[in-house]
Amino acid sequence: MPELPEVEIVVRCLDRLIKGRTVQTAELRRKLLAPNFSKRSFAAKLKSSLVNFVHRRGKHILFDLDTGRTLIAHLRMSGRFMILSADEADPKFTHAVFYLDGDERLVFQDQRHFGFMNIVDTGKLFETKELACLAPEPFSDEFSVDYFRDLLRASKRNIKQLLLDQTKVCGVGNIYASEAMFIARVNPLRIAGDISGKKKIALHSAIREVMNETLLLGKNIRLDRQNIGGGIYGSNVESEWRIYGREGEPCPFCSKPIARIVQGTRSTFLCSKCQR
DNA sequence: ACCCTCACCTGCACGC
DNA sequence: TGCGTGCAGGTGAGGG
């Protein structure tokens, strides 16, 4: 269920755990996980691949392989990676298995079956369908105040749905959208172009702020091979949200009960007094 | 170009 | 206990 910071933390853990290791064989257990491949071709493409490093673009996890290929993986809502040893059984909903050197294997598990994988030539990585249209990374120089201001100015969409559009702002998901708009005191229903200049700047900085909070937590994360990077979402962070999931609780600034609305089938949480 | 709704799946928490 | 409902941190497709 991760957004960009959680994916970033998963990626750092994966990199530490499998950089320099070899995928001897790979098994695609659920065909639809990698719709571009048959089970046979998936295995063939990944056989005997050394993992140079693991990185990411947006919420996509990228395994850079020494064969000139990159394995792209997206966790969507419920995907997880774990490393298991020979005496540990596959969990329910195991959709792909990568047998490493030694007796260990990297397992991709996904209860809701929304995740997906693809294998592409590394030279054309950023031209692939998954990555070609993504907006600049939120911590890059390219994602500048000017970029953000121009983006909002040109848009007639409501700001919440604009923030979730990965081709416009990359890495923000449903939680961070609510959190950032709350910090910047922006009403989620407001047309992006109508937001004041001051609030545009505040929102730009709030997006980085909320993501950075989680990234900092990730610095001290314990490596958990059974749930790679997973310690960061779930229990401990949940209590930290300012507004997300807190319908009916008092706003921390003005005590008005926090509201929940639905935008495009997804929940948004807000304080209608503080966010005008 | 945009908005809306549905779709993909399973599991969990809730109220009756 | 069981069953129905609504919800879940993502995204794509199809129709208007």
Side-chain angles (χ1 to χ4, degrees):
Chain A
M1 334 166 187
E3 302 182 31
L4 186 140
E6 290 81 4
V7 175
E8 171 66 24
I9 289 161
V10 169
V11 160
R12 286 182 200 163
C13 291
L14 277 171
D15 189 63
R16 283 166 64 188
L17 287 165
I18 65 166
K19 182 210 285 272
R21 299 187 68 176
T22 300
V23 174
Q24 294 178 329
T25 56
E27 268 180 37
L28 179 61
R29 300 265 178 92
R30 186 178 66 92
K31 167 79 181 77
L32 285 177
L33 173 64
N36 294 344
F37 299 92
S38 64
K39 293 184 177 182
R40 183 193 298 259
S41 62
F42 185 85
K45 287 259 184 194
L46 294 175
K47 190 174 173 54
S48 304
S49 303
L50 183 138
V51 179
N52 288 329
F53 55 92
V54 185
H55 58 138
R56 76 163 177 83
R57 175 77 173 92
K59 301 173 191 170
H60 300 261
I61 299 172
L62 309 169
F63 297 81
D64 187 283
L65 307 172
D66 74 339
T67 53
R69 298 190 176 112
T70 292
L71 171 67
I72 304 177
H74 198 302
L75 304 174
R76 291 285 181 96
M77 296 286 263
S78 57
R80 287 168 185 272
F81 280 103
M82 61 192 77
I83 290 179
L84 300 178
S85 51
D87 59 346
E88 293 169 302
D90 290 325
K92 203 173 173 184
F93 309 120
T94 291
H95 298 315
V97 182
F98 306 87
Y99 293 89
L100 304 171
D101 47 279
D103 267 344
E104 291 185 325
R105 64 195 193 282
L106 177 69
V107 169
F108 179 77
Q109 182 230 3
D110 183 8
Q111 176 201 109
R112 294 181 71 181
H113 303 199
F114 293 171
F116 73 85
M117 292 188 182
N118 196 4
I119 305 164
V120 302
D121 290 339
T122 303
K124 294 183 190 156
L125 177 60
F126 295 104
E127 298 157 36
T128 56
K129 190 170 140 258
E130 288 86 355
L131 307 186
C133 298
L134 287 179
E137 284 292 319
F139 288 103
S140 69
D141 293 343
E142 210 185 330
F143 186 73
S144 60
V145 172
D146 282 345
Y147 169 86
F148 192 68
R149 203 174 1 208
D150 291 347
L151 173 72
L152 267 55
R153 195 178 285 150
S155 174
K156 296 194 167 78
R157 307 165 71 178
N158 70 61
I159 184 61
K160 163 75 184 309
Q161 295 191 280
L162 182 66
L163 290 179
L164 291 185
D165 183 341
Q166 302 295 301
T167 70
K168 300 295 194 293
V169 181
C170 147
V172 174
N174 208 37
I175 294 180
Y176 292 116
S178 279
E179 293 290 307
M181 289 185 294
F182 177 65
I183 290 173
R185 298 180 159 242
V186 169
N187 189 294
L189 295 164
R190 181 127 312 193
I191 300 301
D194 294 345
I195 295 170
S196 73
K198 230 180 202 173
K199 286 200 175 177
K200 286 193 186 95
I201 295 169
L203 187 54
H204 175 268
S205 124
I207 288 167
R208 287 181 164 173
E209 185 184 336
V210 291
M211 288 193 177
N212 205 37
E213 285 172 356
T214 302
L215 287 174
L216 291 176
L217 289 177
K219 294 242 187 237
N220 313 323
I221 193 176
R222 206 165 49 85
L223 272 187
D224 178 358
R225 307 160 86 75
Q226 311 271 341
N227 182 12
I228 293 173
I232 208 64
Y233 46 93
S235 51
N236 51 348
V237 181
E238 221 152 278
S239 54
E240 308 288 329
W241 305 130
R242 294 163 177 81
I243 195 151
Y244 186 85
R246 297 189 182 278
E247 181 180 15
E249 292 180 38
C251 166
F253 294 144
C254 75
S255 299
K256 181 168 181 177
I258 292 168
R260 172 181 168 271
I261 60 174
V262 175
Q263 294 179 278
T265 76
R266 313 205 62 199
S267 294
T268 307
F269 295 86
L270 73 149
C271 172
S272 58
K273 190 170 170 192
C274 293
Q275 297 168 256
R276 300 251 179 211

